[in-house]
Amino acid sequence: MRVVVAGCGKIGITIIKSLFKERHDILCIDNDQEVINEVINSYDVMTICGNAISYDVLKEAGMEKTELFIAVTDSDESNILSCFTARKLGAKQTVARIRNSEYTAESLGFIKESLGISMSINPEKLTAEAIYNLLKLPSATKVDTFTNRSFEIVELIIKKGSKINGLSLMELRKKFAGNFLITVLQRGEKVFIPKGNTTLLEGDKICVVASIEEMHKVLFSLGFLQKESKNVMVLGGSKIAHYLTQMLAKGHTSVKIVEKNKQRCEELCETLPSSVDIICGDGMSQDILLEEGVSQTDALVALTGADEENILISFYAMSQKVPKIISKVNTSALSQIAENLGLDCIVSPKQIIADLLVRYARALNATVGSKVETLYSLMDGGAEALEFVVMDDFEFSNIALKDMKLKNDVLIAGIIRGKKAFTPGGDDVILSGDKVIVISKGRSLYSLTEIMEGK
Amino acid sequence: MNIKMIFSTVGKVVLIEAVLLLLPFITACVYTEWWVAVSFAITIGIALSVYGLSKLFFRPKNTVIYSKEGLIIVAFAWLIVSCIGCLPFIISGDIPYFFDAYFETVSGFTTTGSSILSDVESMSRGCLLWRSFTHWIGGMGVLVFVMAVTGKNTDRSIHILRAEMPGPTVDKIVPRAKDTAKILYLIYIVMTLAVVVLLLCGGMPLFDSLLHAFGTAGTGGFGVKNDGIAGYNAYCQWVIAIFMFLFGVNFNLYYLILIGKIKNVLKSGELWAYVTIVFLSVAFITGNTLAICGNFADALRASAFQVSSIISTTGFSTVNFNEWPTLSKSILLILMLIGGCAGSTAGGFKVSRVVLLSKSIKREFKKVLHPRNESVVKSNGKRVEEKTISGVFSYLSIYVTCMIVIFLLISFEPFSLETNISAVVSCFNNIGPGFDAVGPTSNFSAYSPFTKVILSFAMLLGRLEIYPLLLTFLPSTWIKR
C-alpha cells in the first residue's frame, strides 16, 4: 500500500518506522531539509522537501495513487488543510493529527464530514485515555481494551512473594477458577506463548486476557488487585494532563497538578473543574513534592515535557513508596533503560499513535473472510493482540477449535458474540459476525485465515 | 563496524558474478572453444567456493549498515569481482599475465575500455563476450544488481546505492531502494535490447551487435575489431553514436518519461547543459575537421560519434582522432574531464557537478562585486543545499589531487607528456583511449606492470567516485575508537 506521511517529527518518524515494518511503500514530506536527510539515511523511503499544504508538493507526491495520507505536522490547521487538498487530489484515506482541545468532538465531526477527512487523531487524548485505564487497574503495567470494552488485555509483572510465583499454568488453572487466559510471557528479552507446563517465575511479565466483568475477580484471586487510585498527583500541566484530569475528575478522583509556568496554571484553572488542585511550582523540587504530600498519594503521573525529568521524578517517587507510578517517556531508548532500572509503567504517545495507524492501515487491506478491528502491540512489540471481525465468507467458520490446526505462535484468546464475551474452549466454534481476539508472537497477521497452519 | 555484514554482502556479489559467468561459459560451448569453457567453469567453481566460505564464516546477526559500511562494501565488492573476473583470461591463456588480465578486467567493470590487447580479433569468442559483458555489469553497478535481485529489505540500503551510483546526490524514484534498483535495471535492459535489434537491422552479425550493445550500454568501449567501429556502415555508427549519448543521460529521467512526467524532464538543468555541450562540441569539431574528412556528412558523423563517445566516456572510435587538429583534440580532452550525467552509466566529473560549480562560481563573483549580496544556488527550480555545493567543491579538489598523484606516479614511463596525461585522464574518467601512444589505434600494453596496477586503481577510483576506495584504505576507517 502506498502511504504518504506529511511531517517527520517525533510522531511522524515513529509512524514511518512502524508502517515500513508493515511493508508499505512510504513517501515522507517535510519542509526541513536536515530532517529529510536524517530520514533518508535511516529508512528506506522516498522523501520530498516541501510544505505539505502546497498543491504542487502534494501533486508531486502522487496523491492519485496514495491509499493513506497521514498529516502529522505541528499545526492542526495545516494538517486539516493538507488532508483536504490530498483528498481532493485523489488520496483514498486521510488522517490528520488534531490536538487542540478547542476542536470539540462536535466540531471535529463537522470538519471531518465536510472536508472528507477519514480520521483525526489526538495523541494527547489517546495517551490520557491509556493512563486513565492504568489508574483504574493499578496493578497492571499496560491495559488495552477491545470493542465496547468487552475484553481487556492486561500486562502484569510477577513480583516477589506473588501467589502464582512458581506455579505452572496447569497448576494455576486447577487452583484458580475463572474465565481467563495467560497469553504471552516475557522473560528477560525472550517473548513466547506459554504452554501448560510453563512455570511462572518472579520477574516474568505476563499478559492476561479476560472479559471486563471477570478481570477484577481474576486479578483479585491471583493476588494482583490493588485498589483503584483515588488520589493522583500529576506533574506537568501539559495537554495530556489536561485531558487526564478531566477524565479523572468526572470519576470523583482527587487530582493535584504541579506545573511550573504560572500562565499555564491560570489556563488550567480556567478550564478544569474547581475540585482539581493546581500547584504552581517546580515538579523537580523534592521539597515541593513532599510539601504537597507525594508520599501519601495513590499514584504519581509524570507528564513534563522532558523524558529525563519524568524518569528522575519517577525514581524519586519510587523511593517515597508511591504505590503506582506512571511516566511518559517518548524516546524508545530511554524507556528501555528506565524499564531495565525498574520503572514498569511507561507510556509513549508516539507508540500509541503508531499502533493506531498500523491497525488502521491493516484494516484498509481488503482481505477475504475477516477484517482487523483492533490491534495492540504487547511486550514492547514482541507480540501483538488483534481483534478480527469475521465475515460471511470466512473459510473456517463452524469448525470446533480443537479440530483447527493453528500455527505455532498463535492463540485464540477470546470471542465476542453479540453482547457475550467469553474465553473459548476446544468445543467452541467461530461464527460469522463474531469478533475474535487473536494473540500472535513474532508474526504480523493481516487476516484471520492466516492463523491456520499452512495459510 | 559491521564486518560480518560487509563480507556477507560481498559474498553475495561474488555469487551473482558466478551466475553471470554462465553467459560466456555458454558462449564458449556454442563456439566449441572447449578449453575456454573449462576455464570459465573453473572460475565459476572458485567464485562459488568464495561465496560458500563467506556464507560459512560471516553470518550477520545484525544487518544494520551505516554510511561507512556502505562505502567499504562497495570498494571490496569491486576489488574482488575484478580479481575473480580476470581468472578466465589467465586460465584460458588469452591474456597470460596477471597484471594485464587484471587491468583488462578492471577496465571492463569500470566501463573504461582501455585495453592492453594489440590484436583483439585473435581472442577467443568466450573471452571476448566476457570482456564486453563486464562493461554491461559494471555500467549500472554490481551492487545495484544484487539489490535488485536479492529480496532483502533493509532500512539503510540507501548507503550502498549512494556509494555505487555516480553523482553528487542520489534520488530514489520509488520509495524502496530495491524497487528503484529494479526499475533502473529494467530500463537498462530494455535500452540494451533496443541497441541489439537496431544493430542487427543494420546488418551487423549477432555476436558483434551483442558485444557492441554491451559496450554502448555500459558506456565501456571494448570492441571486437582491431579498427573499432570504423569497419561498420554509417547506419550502425549513427545508432551507436545516438545510444552512447542516451546512456550518458540520467536514468531517472527515463523513468519520468515512462510515468508521463515529460514536463519535469524538460526542466532538468543537467540535461540541457549536457545537450548544449554536445551540440557545441559537434559543431566546432565538424568545422575543424572538415578539411581532413573531405565532405560534410563524413565530418559530421565522425565528430558526432567521437563527441558522444567521449562525453559518455565510452571510448569507441570510428576514426583515428589522434590525427585531428589540436583544437578538436583539446575539445575532446575537456569532454573527457566533464563526463556524462549523474545517475547514468557514464564516468567523469559529471555534468551536474559542472553545472553546480559554474552556478556557485557565478554567485561568488556577485559576492565580490556586492559583498552584501545574498543568494542561493538553485537547480531544477529548487534550492541546492550549501552542503551539496561544498561537497562538489571538495570533490573537485580531491579529483584533481588524485589525478596529479597518479600522473606523477606514472611519469617515469618513457612516453610523451601528452601520452601520460591523456592516459591518466582517460583511465581516471573511465573513457578508454587517450592521445598519442595510447590513442584509439594503439593500446596500453607498452606500460610497465607497476603502471598497469596504478592505472587499474585509477579506473576503480574514477568509477566509484574516489571516496569508497580511498576511505577503505585509510587506517582511521578501521581503527576502533
Side-chain angles (χ1 to χ4, degrees):
Chain A
M1 194 160 75
R2 195 183 152 91
V3 182
V4 174
V5 179
C8 301
K10 270 188 287 190
I11 291 212
I13 291 277
T14 317
I15 293 171
I16 291 167
K17 209 158 132 188
S18 305
L19 290 180
F20 182 77
K21 265 199 205 128
E22 295 277 301
R23 295 193 291 271
H24 296 300
D25 285 343
I26 301 165
L27 192 149
C28 332
I29 306 174
D30 199 289
N31 51 11
D32 187 344
Q33 184 67 43
E34 287 291 315
V35 173
I36 287 283
N37 289 347
E38 200 52 46
V39 171
I40 270 213
N41 281 336
S42 322
Y43 305 101
D44 194 4
V45 296
M46 204 163 145
T47 50
I48 294 178
C49 184
N51 192 338
I53 52 173
S54 133
Y55 172 85
D56 295 319
V57 169
L58 290 175
K59 191 103 191 166
E60 192 187 336
M63 280 305 132
E64 64 287 350
K65 289 176 291 181
T66 302
E67 269 147 291
L68 179 58
F69 178 86
I70 302 165
V72 283
T73 62
D74 276 344
S75 142
D76 289 352
E77 287 70 27
S78 25
N79 290 340
I80 295 174
L81 187 54
S82 57
C83 275
F84 169 71
T85 319
R87 177 86 191 110
K88 289 283 166 210
L89 281 172
K92 289 208 183 65
Q93 302 278 333
T94 53
V95 175
R97 169 164 81 168
I98 306 174
R99 52 180 180 176
N100 192 334
S101 54
E102 278 160 25
Y103 291 105
T104 56
E106 236 172 43
S107 70
L108 272 182
F110 175 75
I111 290 172
K112 284 197 295 197
E113 168 102 28
S114 38
L115 298 183
I117 297 172
S118 325
M119 182 164 78
S120 70
I121 46 176
N122 185 339
E124 281 77 12
K125 197 163 182 185
L126 290 166
T127 312
E129 277 166 14
I131 297 174
Y132 180 76
N133 282 341
L134 282 171
L135 290 174
K136 289 272 145 202
L137 219 55
S139 51
T141 58
K142 188 166 184 276
V143 180
D144 290 315
T145 58
F146 293 99
T147 303
N148 302 331
R149 305 181 68 89
S150 51
F151 260 113
E152 266 181 336
I153 185 159
V154 172
E155 282 182 18
L156 303 164
I157 291 178
I158 301 180
K159 299 238 165 72
K160 200 173 176 181
S162 163
K163 269 193 216 174
I164 60 170
N165 184 1
L167 292 182
S168 77
L169 289 197
M170 228 120 69
E171 290 160 345
L172 189 77
R173 180 64 54 212
K174 267 184 225 142
K175 217 166 158 188
F176 301 99
N179 209 346
F180 71 96
L181 209 55
I182 293 182
T183 53
V184 195
L185 199 155
Q186 183 178 23
R187 185 169 292 160
E189 297 276 293
K190 225 177 114 206
V191 177
F192 57 97
I193 293 183
K195 302 259 175 338
N197 55 5
T198 312
T199 311
L200 300 173
L201 298 176
E202 182 195 331
D204 284 356
K205 203 175 186 186
I206 53 172
C207 264
V208 177
V209 177
S211 65
I212 207 137
E213 306 91 54
E214 293 269 321
M215 191 53 94
H216 265 83
K217 261 196 295 183
V218 171
L219 292 183
F220 182 70
S221 61
L222 293 182
F224 275 106
L225 201 63
Q226 221 173 311
K227 72 176 173 54
E228 193 178 306
S229 310
K230 276 288 169 202
N231 181 356
V232 179
M233 184 183 268
V234 177
L235 299 181
S238 59
K239 281 196 182 110
I240 302 178
H242 178 253
Y243 287 119
L244 176 68
T245 313
Q246 266 180 341
M247 275 184 264
L248 288 172
K250 256 186 222 153
H252 307 294
T253 308
S254 78
V255 184
K256 193 174 269 176
I257 300 180
V258 181
E259 162 65 40
K260 242 189 300 201
N261 186 327
K262 181 107 174 80
Q263 202 186 340
R264 178 68 189 155
C265 283
E266 277 163 15
E267 279 168 31
L268 287 171
C269 289
E270 272 173 41
T271 48
L272 290 172
S274 51
S275 64
V276 177
D277 282 334
I278 290 168
I279 312 292
C280 187
D282 187 357
M284 284 299 274
S285 150
Q286 297 180 357
D287 287 342
I288 291 180
L289 290 184
L290 283 178
E291 191 182 334
E292 294 306 327
V294 69
S295 42
Q296 284 95 46
T297 52
D298 292 341
L300 178 129
V301 186
L303 293 176
T304 69
D307 287 351
E308 297 83 349
E309 282 187 17
N310 290 339
I311 293 174
L312 288 177
I313 296 171
S314 301
F315 280 122
Y316 176 66
M318 231 158 111
S319 72
Q320 294 297 317
K321 308 252 178 324
V322 178
K324 180 76 190 170
I325 301 157
I326 302 172
S327 23
K328 184 196 86 171
V329 179
N330 242 334
T331 324
S332 53
L334 279 180
S335 66
Q336 203 64 53
I337 295 170
E339 217 162 301
N340 292 344
L341 287 175
L343 282 187
D344 50 17
C345 217
I346 288 170
V347 289
S348 152
K350 58 181 199 181
Q351 198 52 49
I352 291 172
I353 293 300
D355 278 3
L356 178 76
L357 283 164
V358 165
R359 160 179 39 177
Y360 190 75
R362 274 205 213 170
L364 287 181
N365 260 341
T367 49
V368 179
S370 57
K371 203 176 120 229
V372 177
E373 178 95 358
T374 323
L375 181 151
Y376 294 111
S377 61
L378 305 173
M379 307 295 184
D380 305 319
E384 50 183 43
L386 298 104
E387 178 180 353
F388 288 104
V389 182
V390 182
M391 316 277 227
D392 289 338
D393 50 357
F394 180 60
E395 264 181 84
F396 300 98
S397 52
N398 254 329
I399 301 176
L401 292 187
K402 61 176 186 232
D403 296 331
M404 284 184 164
K405 211 168 156 24
L406 297 185
K407 276 181 188 152
N408 244 343
D409 288 332
V410 169
L411 186 76
I412 297 181
I415 295 178
I416 305 166
R417 187 168 296 153
K419 293 213 158 138
K420 212 174 112 210
F422 58 97
T423 315
D427 295 321
D428 284 311
V429 295
I430 295 174
L431 298 176
S432 96
D434 280 358
K435 287 174 181 156
V436 180
I437 293 165
V438 175
I439 310 287
S440 154
K441 191 229 119 192
R443 185 183 283 121
S444 303
L445 296 176
Y446 294 88
S447 80
L448 192 52
T449 344
E450 279 176 53
I451 66 169
M452 305 299 296
E453 189 67 69
K455 287 281 170 184
Chain B
M1 175 94 74
N2 195 338
I3 290 184
K4 285 190 173 174
M5 189 63 189
I6 293 176
F7 285 103
S8 99
T9 313
V10 172
K12 259 186 227 152
V13 174
V14 175
L15 175 70
I16 294 284
E17 190 182 16
V19 175
L20 294 171
L21 274 161
L22 285 174
L23 187 72
F25 173 73
I26 294 167
T27 315
C29 291
V30 168
Y31 285 97
T32 65
E33 295 163 335
W34 300 117
W35 176 237
V36 178
V38 167
S39 61
F40 276 107
I42 294 171
T43 313
I44 291 173
I46 292 172
L48 285 179
S49 36
V50 169
Y51 168 69
L53 285 178
S54 80
K55 191 96 185 149
L56 206 65
F57 288 112
F58 304 105
R59 262 189 229 135
K61 277 186 215 94
N62 174 8
T63 57
V64 178
I65 53 162
Y66 298 95
S67 170
K68 188 166 153 188
E69 278 90 349
L71 294 169
I72 295 174
I73 286 174
V74 168
F76 270 125
W78 279 74
L79 287 171
I80 290 179
V81 160
S82 322
C83 272
I84 293 177
C86 74
L87 294 177
F89 298 122
I90 303 174
I91 301 172
S92 68
D94 273 345
I95 307 174
Y97 302 108
F98 173 76
F99 292 117
D100 288 355
Y102 191 73
F103 181 91
E104 196 79 3
T105 316
V106 169
S107 163
F109 277 117
T110 57
T111 73
T112 306
S114 303
S115 180
I116 45 84
L117 293 170
S118 41
D119 186 12
V120 182
E121 285 160 37
S122 70
M123 222 181 170
S124 66
R125 291 281 165 146
C127 283
L128 265 183
L129 185 108
W130 175 236
R131 204 170 77 111
S132 292
F133 194 46
T134 52
H135 278 333
W136 194 82
I137 301 166
M140 195 52 98
V142 197
L143 281 144
V144 179
F145 190 74
V146 172
M147 202 183 281
V149 293
T150 59
K152 272 281 161 62
N153 262 326
T154 47
D155 284 350
R156 297 165 187 269
S157 39
I158 180 78
H159 292 305
I160 297 183
L161 205 64
R162 202 180 277 158
E164 199 174 40
M165 297 280 279
T169 55
V170 167
D171 300 316
K172 284 196 272 187
I173 45 187
V174 288
R176 276 161 207 277
K178 187 189 168 195
D179 296 338
T180 302
K182 264 189 193 159
I183 291 173
L184 290 178
Y185 254 98
L186 225 60
I187 295 172
Y188 190 45
I189 290 171
V190 168
M191 281 175 66
T192 312
L193 286 178
V195 183
V196 175
V197 170
L198 285 171
L199 288 180
L200 281 175
C201 292
M204 197 187 277
L206 177 64
F207 186 79
D208 297 20
S209 344
L210 263 178
L211 264 56
H212 285 127
F214 290 153
T216 311
T219 64
F222 279 150
V224 284
K225 294 274 189 293
N226 286 337
D227 60 353
I229 312 292
Y232 298 101
N233 57 31
Y235 165 81
C236 289
Q237 292 184 7
W238 273 114
V239 167
I240 292 178
I242 289 167
F243 271 92
M244 285 189 296
F245 170 79
L246 290 179
F247 278 107
V249 174
N250 191 335
F251 275 52
N252 289 1
L253 298 185
Y254 295 128
Y255 178 72
L256 288 178
I257 294 175
L258 274 182
I259 58 169
K261 288 189 176 167
I262 295 175
K263 240 194 225 161
N264 295 24
V265 175
L266 295 180
K267 265 194 276 180
S268 160
E270 184 183 20
L271 181 68
W272 285 116
Y274 181 61
V275 171
T276 316
I277 294 171
V278 168
F279 270 91
L280 284 179
S281 316
V282 171
F284 271 104
I285 296 182
T286 311
N288 195 230
T289 57
L290 206 53
I292 302 174
C293 293
N295 64 52
F296 178 73
D298 282 350
L300 180 67
R301 193 178 71 233
S303 56
F305 188 94
Q306 231 49 68
V307 165
S308 141
S309 165
I310 296 295
I311 194 164
S312 71
T313 71
T314 310
F316 280 139
S317 55
T318 53
V319 290
N320 185 2
F321 52 78
N322 230 351
E323 290 156 8
W324 281 359
T326 308
L327 171 65
S328 300
K329 273 159 80 176
S330 311
I331 292 177
L332 287 183
L333 186 70
I334 293 165
L335 294 183
M336 281 186 185
L337 292 169
I338 294 175
C341 300
S344 71
T345 60
F349 188 68
K350 301 283 151 15
V351 177
S352 63
R353 287 204 181 93
V354 174
V355 171
L356 282 180
L357 274 183
S358 60
K359 278 184 182 164
S360 58
I361 288 171
K362 202 168 120 196
R363 181 175 66 162
E364 288 306 310
F365 278 158
K366 228 181 187 176
K367 269 219 170 114
V368 172
L369 291 177
H370 310 279
R372 281 190 193 79
N373 184 289
E374 281 293 330
S375 63
V376 292
V377 175
K378 283 186 178 175
S379 142
N380 304 343
K382 273 188 187 160
R383 183 189 170 165
V384 180
E385 268 185 290
E386 293 303 320
K387 237 193 325 202
T388 313
I389 295 171
S390 67
V392 170
F393 272 103
S394 52
Y395 184 76
L396 174 70
S397 57
I398 197 163
Y399 174 86
V400 173
T401 315
C402 281
M403 265 199 296
I404 292 172
V405 170
I406 295 162
F407 171 67
L408 284 176
L409 280 174
I410 70 161
S411 54
F412 67 88
E413 295 279 349
F415 296 108
S416 72
L417 205 58
E418 193 183 348
T419 309
N420 279 352
I421 288 182
S422 68
V424 171
V425 168
S426 166
C427 284
F428 193 58
N429 294 300
N430 303 138
I431 291 149
F435 298 117
D436 205 12
V438 290
T441 54
S442 25
N443 58 63
F444 286 73
S445 55
Y447 276 120
S448 69
F450 172 74
T451 306
K452 280 173 190 159
V453 172
I454 294 292
L455 288 180
S456 306
F457 194 72
M459 291 189 266
L460 281 171
L461 273 181
R463 169 61 181 85
L464 301 179
E465 301 210 316
I466 303 169
Y467 292 116
L469 219 51
L470 225 49
L471 291 179
T472 304
F473 291 106
L474 275 185
S476 59
T477 314
W478 296 93
I479 291 169
K480 281 180 194 162
R481 259 176 297 184

